[in-house]
Every structure is written in structure tokens, then in C-alpha cells.
Amino acid sequence: MSKRIAVYPGSFDPITNGHMDIVERGLEIFDEIVIAVARNSEKKSLFTIEERLHLIAEAHCNDPRVKVDTFDGLLVDYVVNQGARVILRGLRAVSDFEYEFQIAQMNHKLRREVETLFLMTSVPYGYLSSSIVKEVACLNGPVETLVPPIVRAALAEKCRKMKEE
Ligand code: COA
């Protein structure tokens, strides 16, 4: 039987425990998950693409079922090139729904063979976003329950450098 592969796309600036929760639960369904960092995101980022890839890889402790990559261009083309048919996304709140619904429908129109699978974010992470974590960390708030330890250290370093500039 061929491997069941899902692509989990996003900006991951940085990866949080909410993202990790989606990956861990996704691994109960799929044999392999490709965490794909979008290169052409219009969001202003704190971490470079290379830093984000490194943090994701370290956070997953080299689990062979988790691949880390970047992509340019249309997500659905990337998904098909990976030999996958499923896009994995997390839904945190009703407010996520409209945006995700629109993207999932467009992706399905672009490539009918690609489906989007949504997992409801676990209760402790319902309020979490990368932006909120960055804000709390740079104001010296506690983020140890929100991000993996390697991300906490990287955030502290980034925020310290930003304050020095
Ligand atoms: N836990 C914690 N945070 C979560 C989360 C979870 N389970 N799920 C989403 N989030 C947060 C993210 O941290 C992010 O926070 P931020 O806005 O503060 O950075 C936010 O929710 C959503 O961002 P993300 O999941 O990274 O998605 P995105 O909107 O930045 O990126 C892409 C969406 C990359 C998938 C989409 O733009 C894309 O496919 N681009 C490729 C181009 C393309 O094909 N376009 C056509 C699509 S129709």
C-alpha cells in the first residue's frame, strides 16, 4: 500500500505547541506529514525561512515521519509534486472558518484530486497564534506552555537583539 502523506502548510513564524498538536494528531491518520513553510507569504516575519525550518526540525526531534520543507507558488501543485493528496489544516475558532473555507474551495477547484482535512485545535491552544506568542515573548511574558523549548530560547534571543537595535 502506498504511503499516506499529508502536507501541513503555513508560515510557522514560529512553530507553536498548537501546530505541534495538529502534527501529532495528524500522525495518527497519516504515515508522513510534510510541514511546508510558505516562502511567498505576505506576512512580515520575525524569523527567516531557514531559522523557521531549523526550529521546526528541532522541535520534532528528527521524527522520520515528519519532513520539513518550503514551497513557492501554488500550494496544490506542491502537494501533488510531493505525492500527496491531502492538505492538513487546524481550525481554532469560528473566525478561522470563512478564510479556510474559501482557500479549501479554491484549492479543490484548482486540483480536484486534492482534499483539505481540518482538525479542530485542542482546547488549550484555541487562542494561540504565532503573532500572540511573539508579542508575549517580546514583552517578557511567559511562553513556556505555548512553544517548544527551542523556540522559547530563539524568541528570547530575537527579542533581545531587537531591543538592542
Ligand atoms: N495552533 C496555533 N496557531 C495556529 C494554528 C494552531 N493549530 N493554526 C493556525 N495558527 C495560526 C498561525 O500561527 C498563524 O498565526 P499568525 O497569523 O499570527 O502568524 C495563523 O494562525 C494562520 O497562519 P498560517 O496557518 O501560518 O497560515 P497562513 O494564512 O499564514 O498561510 C497558506 C496560509 C500558506 C497555507 C496559504 O497562504 C497558501 O496556501 N499559500 C500558497 C499560495 C497559494 O497556493 N495560494 C492559493 C490558495 S487558494
Side-chain angles (χ1 to χ4, degrees):
M1 204 172 75
S2 57
K3 257 204 265 181
R4 290 164 305 174
I5 306 171
V7 173
Y8 182 29
S11 36
F12 302 103
D13 182 43
I15 189 163
T16 68
N17 288 346
H19 296 126
M20 304 273 293
D21 170 61
I22 298 292
V23 173
E24 277 158 30
R25 289 162 55 210
L27 285 169
E28 300 287 328
I29 305 168
F30 297 98
D31 301 312
E32 184 179 306
I33 293 186
V34 182
I35 303 181
V37 180
R39 278 196 181 269
N40 54 356
S41 169
E42 285 171 8
K43 288 182 186 172
K44 193 177 170 301
S45 59
L46 179 65
F47 292 98
T48 65
I49 295 274
E50 285 63 36
E51 287 169 335
R52 282 181 258 165
L53 293 174
H54 172 71
L55 292 174
I56 296 169
E58 288 291 313
H60 283 283
C61 302
N62 302 321
D63 185 330
R65 297 170 302 163
V66 178
K67 300 259 173 332
V68 187
D69 195 11
T70 62
F71 73 100
D72 269 324
L74 280 181
L75 172 62
V76 282
D77 291 343
Y78 174 80
V79 170
V80 170
N81 288 337
Q82 290 297 308
R85 291 186 56 179
V86 176
I87 298 168
L88 181 64
R89 295 283 286 172
L91 275 183
R92 289 164 301 170
V94 179
S95 52
D96 280 348
F97 180 79
E98 210 164 325
Y99 172 67
E100 295 292 342
F101 185 62
Q102 189 185 17
I103 292 191
Q105 285 201 326
M106 177 52 82
N107 282 334
H108 196 56
K109 190 171 168 55
L110 290 168
R111 289 266 197 179
R112 294 214 74 77
E113 69 271 39
V114 175
E115 292 286 354
T116 305
L117 181 83
F118 294 100
L119 289 182
M120 295 296 173
T121 297
S122 298
V123 172
Y125 309 122
Y127 60 92
L128 203 54
S129 75
S130 298
S131 303
I132 220 159
V133 164
K134 287 182 274 192
E135 185 172 339
V136 172
C138 283
L139 294 171
N140 298 322
V143 292
E144 52 270 13
T145 58
L146 312 180
V147 292
I150 180 117
V151 174
R152 185 167 63 125
L155 275 167
E157 181 64 11
K158 273 276 177 202
C159 297
R160 189 184 59 74
K161 279 193 181 147
M162 272 169 52
K163 281 173 191 157
E164 279 173 12
E165 284 168 11

